[in-house]
Structures are given as C-alpha cells and as structure tokens.
Amino acid sequence: MKKDIIKINNLSIKTKVNTNLYLVDGISFSVKEGKTTCIVGESGSGKSLTALSIIRLLSPQLKMSGEILFNNEDICKMSELEIRQKRGLDIAMIFQEPMTSLNPVLTIGYQIKEAIAVHSDLPNNKINKKVEELLILVGIPVERVNSYPDELSGGQRQRVMIAMAMSCNPKLLIADEPTTALDVTVQAQILKLLDDLKRKLNMSMLFITHDFGVVEDIADDVIVMFKGKIVERGEVNHVLKKPKHPYTKALLGCVPDALGKKQLTPIDYEKLDRAIQRL
Ligand SMILES: Nc1ncnc2c1ncn2[C@@H]1O[C@H](COP(=O)(O)OP(=O)(O)OP(=O)(O)O)[C@@H](O)[C@H]1O
Ligand SMILES: [Mg+2]
C-alpha cells in the first residue's frame, strides 16, 4: 500500500465577509506517493481554491480551516518561513494561466534560473547548466533560452512553467488546468510530458481539470467536486465505468467522443438538483 504524500482532512474555505458561505465545504482526500489524483468539477466548484490552500496562497480575504498534512506535517500550522521553504522545493504548482504567471519582460532562461536560485546556492555556471537540462527535459530547444514569453507558442510557455516547477525536483506537483488553453494535440504532448516526468522522478501529482478525457489519460484516482463538496471519489476506471453520483453521470454525458457518434447531453441543473435531493 502506497503512503499518502498529502492528506487533507475536513478542509473548508469561506470568505471573511460572508461566514455562512462555504466555497469549499469540509472536503477530505489524499494523494498517494508516485500517483496522480485528479480533481474534476465544473467552473466555480472550488478546485483552484483547494489547490491554492495546499501551498497557502489563498487570497487574504479568504479563511480556511481543517488539516493539510504533507508527510504528516500540518501545512496550516507552519510559519510563513517554513511554508516558503516547502513551496517550490517540496511542493510546486503550475498555475491555470501561463501568460499571467510568466514575466513578459524577462527571458525564459532568466525566469527558470531564478526558480532554481531561490532554493539552491549553486554557482552561476552550474545553474546555467541546470537551465539547459530543464529545457531539454521539457522539450524546448536550448537556443530558445534568451526568448521572451511572447516569442513562444502557448504549448512552449506551458513547458517553461513545467521546467520552473521541476527545477527543484518537487515531491508533489499541483497542476491547475495546465492544458485548458491548448489545442488537443499540444494538450496530449503536455499530458504525456507530465506523466513521463512523474514516473521518472517518482513524483506525486494533484491534477485539476474539468475534462474527463484528461482524467482518463492521466489519473490513478479521481475526486469529483460539486459546489465546494466532494460528491464522488475512487480509482479512475471505477469512477469512469460505474459513476454513482448524478453529477458525475451528468458530467460524463458532456464528454464528446472523437468520432462524434455519441449524443451529447447538456447538464439540466433542475433535474440534477432533484436527483441529488433524492439521494
Ligand atoms: N478571493 C475570493 N473572494 C470571494 N470568492 C472567491 C474568491 N476566490 C474564489 N472565489 C469563489 O470561490 C468559488 C470557487 O472558486 P475556484 O477558483 O476554486 O473555482 P474552480 O473550481 O477552480 O473554477 P474554474 O474551473 O473556473 O477554474 C467560486 O465561486 C469563486 O467565485
Ligand atoms: Mg480554477
């Protein structure tokens, strides 16, 4: 049985102004060592907030409660200095939007170098060597090291984000919809890259998406979020083949198949609410 790299117990997030409104409502789940857990759910279901709470980057207007155990240490109880040391080194995150996460006026080489230098005291020549290795690892030609983000394609920018996240060999990588803005062929390449890196470096991954096609490709375990709660969880094949919750069934009904033979069924929220109330 694999050990849990991260275990979340009863995590809740609400705003400081409206303390009755739970944006994330008492969720518990874990990610096993060397495995990928996918969080799937529609827009606004609380996926990104859950991810941000793990690296303690929630907006100051929000308040969280519960336990987030990383290798049995509670992240919620760490000092700002302790969590800063964990970020990047043990836990890295790829954010939803690569263009807003990269600095447009700095070259990609410089930005990857900075990511390495934050957590290491390697001399300059070794850092430069590591930048080259990372570019090769993520499949960007080394001669592009002095390019600016806007000189790269969307897929290449996302690869730069992955190189930065990989710069310190994190034990857990959180990827928040890293392929949403990309076309399907580039999406498939990035998913394969992440999966290969996970295996090569024995990393664990928490992968956020609203796309069940992506879940099928990359997940070992899946949790389904709806309105801040987990409504279904389990081993990926089990959830995909035998979904139990009406929302999971409804979401699966919206996944197109490549040949376009399947009749797509948009979610009827009134019907869904009635089905959930009958549970
Ligand atoms: N700083 C904030 N203040 C108040 N509400 C917030 C704040 N940040 C997020 N929310 C709300 O919390 C809910 C969950 O947001 P979250 O970003 O986690 O959604 P998500 O599942 O990642 O959606 P998407 O798929 O669109 O990225 C949303 O209703 C959002 O409007
Ligand atoms: Mg999000």
Side-chain angles (χ1 to χ4, degrees):
M1 182 85 177
K2 293 256 182 191
K3 149 173 169 248
D4 292 331
I5 184 100
I6 196 140
K7 193 165 185 346
I8 290 171
N9 293 322
N10 206 16
L11 173 72
S12 290
I13 301 171
K14 46 190 178 175
T15 62
K16 286 182 182 161
V17 265
N18 183 354
T19 50
N20 292 323
L21 178 68
Y22 282 88
L23 304 171
V24 171
D25 191 357
I27 65 170
S28 302
F29 67 96
S30 58
V31 182
K32 294 190 198 85
E33 219 167 43
K35 298 278 175 191
T36 300
T37 294
C38 269
I39 305 184
V40 60
E42 67 191 342
S43 192
S45 54
K47 306 181 296 297
S48 293
L49 290 185
T50 302
L52 288 170
S53 65
I54 297 176
I55 50 167
R56 287 246 310 259
L57 281 182
L58 278 180
S59 138
Q61 299 142 1
L62 301 175
K63 194 171 162 356
M64 72 176 187
S65 61
E67 242 183 6
I68 300 177
L69 302 174
F70 181 77
N71 276 336
N72 293 323
E73 265 185 288
D74 192 350
I75 283 179
C76 307
K77 293 196 178 127
M78 285 178 192
S79 68
E80 201 43 49
L81 183 68
E82 283 170 317
I83 185 65
R84 229 180 288 150
Q85 282 162 350
K86 285 256 168 296
R87 254 184 238 138
L89 197 57
D90 285 330
I91 308 174
M93 180 152 171
I94 304 173
F95 291 91
Q96 212 163 346
E97 263 301 321
M99 206 46 204
T100 49
S101 311
L102 289 171
N103 189 330
V105 296
L106 299 174
T107 64
I108 57 160
Y110 185 89
Q111 295 187 61
I112 300 174
K113 214 167 145 175
E114 266 193 332
I116 303 168
V118 170
H119 292 291
S120 78
D121 43 17
L122 289 173
N124 205 25
N125 59 343
K126 292 226 164 108
I127 295 189
N128 287 340
K129 182 93 193 76
K130 183 125 201 230
V131 171
E132 279 186 17
E133 286 166 9
L134 284 164
L135 286 174
I136 294 167
L137 187 72
V138 299
I140 294 186
V142 172
E143 51 281 13
R144 300 304 299 268
V145 67
N146 292 322
S147 298
Y148 289 88
D150 68 351
E151 294 168 342
L152 302 178
S153 71
Q156 284 173 325
R157 278 181 216 138
Q158 204 50 282
R159 284 168 194 264
V160 173
M161 295 300 300
I162 295 171
M164 286 165 74
M166 290 296 144
S167 61
C168 296
N169 295 343
K171 296 186 182 77
L172 173 70
L173 176 68
I174 304 173
D176 189 356
E177 310 217 26
T179 57
T180 306
L182 306 174
D183 73 58
V184 281
T185 50
V186 183
Q187 168 167 308
Q189 289 166 10
I190 299 284
L191 290 179
K192 172 138 187 4
L193 171 66
L194 284 171
D195 204 44
D196 288 348
L197 289 173
K198 184 195 88 173
R199 283 166 213 277
K200 207 156 139 190
L201 308 171
N202 193 31
M203 195 171 66
S204 310
M205 200 150 57
L206 180 64
F207 193 101
I208 296 172
T209 178
H210 54 257
D211 182 343
F212 262 114
V214 172
V215 173
E216 194 175 8
D217 278 350
I218 203 164
D220 295 297
D221 297 296
V222 57
I223 60 177
V224 182
M225 283 186 78
F226 181 61
K227 295 186 181 172
K229 289 195 165 85
I230 294 179
V231 293
E232 181 139 11
R233 69 179 74 225
E235 198 257 313
V236 64
N237 288 330
H238 202 80
V239 173
L240 292 180
K241 283 194 190 122
K242 289 193 176 153
K244 288 197 198 85
H245 194 272
Y247 176 65
T248 319
K249 289 180 190 166
L251 260 190
L252 281 165
C254 310
V255 181
D257 74 317
L259 298 174
K261 285 185 184 157
K262 189 173 119 185
Q263 185 78 44
L264 293 184
T265 323
I267 298 180
D268 176 342
Y269 282 93
E270 279 179 24
K271 205 168 141 196
L272 180 62
D273 275 344
R274 285 197 298 277
I276 292 172
Q277 275 159 22
R278 281 199 300 273
L279 285 180

